[in-house]
Amino acid sequence: MADTLNETGSTNGIGTANTTTPTPNTAIPTGSSSGEAPKKSVTEAVKESAEKVKAAALKATENVDWKTHSDQLKDQATRTARSAADVAKEKTGTAMQSLSKLISDTASTVDAKLGPQYGDYARYAAEAVSGAAKSLDAKDVDQLMGDARDFVRKSPAVAIGAAAVVGYVLMRLAKGSDSSEDA
């Protein structure tokens, strides 16, 4: 059986390690080349190692071009947001066209049940939704964002009210989907 080293670096001669656990004030060898090894406490050795790691980390971060990294992240986020906005615009346009067709298809039923005046209202609503969908499809995301900014500048109260209504509807939709999953 081979001798093993104990905490001070010497062997215990019986083939097993010394089971004494070092304490913060236990002396450990520092590896000095002189005949007599100066002793340091575990706490001092850990502090010294931590300082070395800290210095290495600072040196490594000094050579990083943070502006380039932040510009790359900004560009990536912009591309991702633009892509998501394009997909959302396309889906919204398609949904609005479908809604317009649905309203237009039900206009004859409204004529029969409620009268031609209400059927005309339904056809007018279908045309308005269809026109909005065409307008949405004709513009790119940047134009839509510009239009939204202009609207908010011209009518901030209406914009805040619309945002509150949309937030409320989204909250109700989210709550509704949570309660249906629990059932």
Side-chain angles (χ1 to χ4, degrees):
M1 214 182 269
D3 288 340
T4 55
L5 297 177
N6 65 16
E7 66 193 19
T8 61
S10 62
T11 60
N12 59 9
I14 57 172
T16 59
N18 186 345
T19 58
T20 306
T21 304
T23 62
N25 295 323
T26 302
I28 59 171
T30 59
S32 156
S33 61
S34 65
E36 220 175 280
K39 307 281 183 180
K40 287 187 179 179
S41 73
V42 172
T43 304
E44 291 171 347
V46 169
K47 284 181 182 178
E48 185 177 303
S49 295
E51 287 298 321
K52 287 179 184 177
V53 169
K54 180 180 175 184
L58 286 174
K59 185 177 179 183
T61 58
E62 286 175 357
N63 299 329
V64 175
D65 184 8
W66 294 107
K67 178 148 178 56
T68 302
H69 286 297
S70 66
D71 288 344
Q72 290 172 350
L73 287 173
K74 177 184 168 192
D75 291 342
Q76 182 181 4
T78 301
R79 284 191 306 272
T80 302
R82 184 172 306 280
S83 174
D86 286 337
V87 168
K89 180 183 90 94
E90 185 178 316
K91 286 183 178 182
T92 303
T94 302
M96 288 175 71
Q97 288 291 355
S98 297
L99 178 63
S100 171
K101 184 172 178 358
L102 177 70
I103 294 170
S104 180
D105 290 346
T106 58
S108 61
T109 305
V110 172
D111 279 339
K113 291 190 177 192
L114 300 175
Q117 181 183 7
Y118 294 106
D120 289 341
Y121 289 145
R123 280 185 274 286
Y124 175 74
E127 289 174 14
V129 171
S130 178
K134 287 177 184 172
S135 175
L136 181 68
D137 289 339
K139 294 183 179 182
D140 69 350
V141 174
D142 292 328
Q143 290 173 324
L144 293 172
M145 290 298 292
D147 290 349
R149 276 190 213 103
D150 292 342
F151 177 75
V152 169
R153 285 187 187 121
K154 290 177 186 174
S155 308
V158 173
I160 290 171
V165 169
V166 168
Y168 177 77
V169 169
L170 290 175
M171 180 192 66
R172 296 299 296 175
L173 289 173
K175 274 189 171 183
S177 66
D178 286 346
S179 64
S180 65
E181 290 174 5
D182 293 338

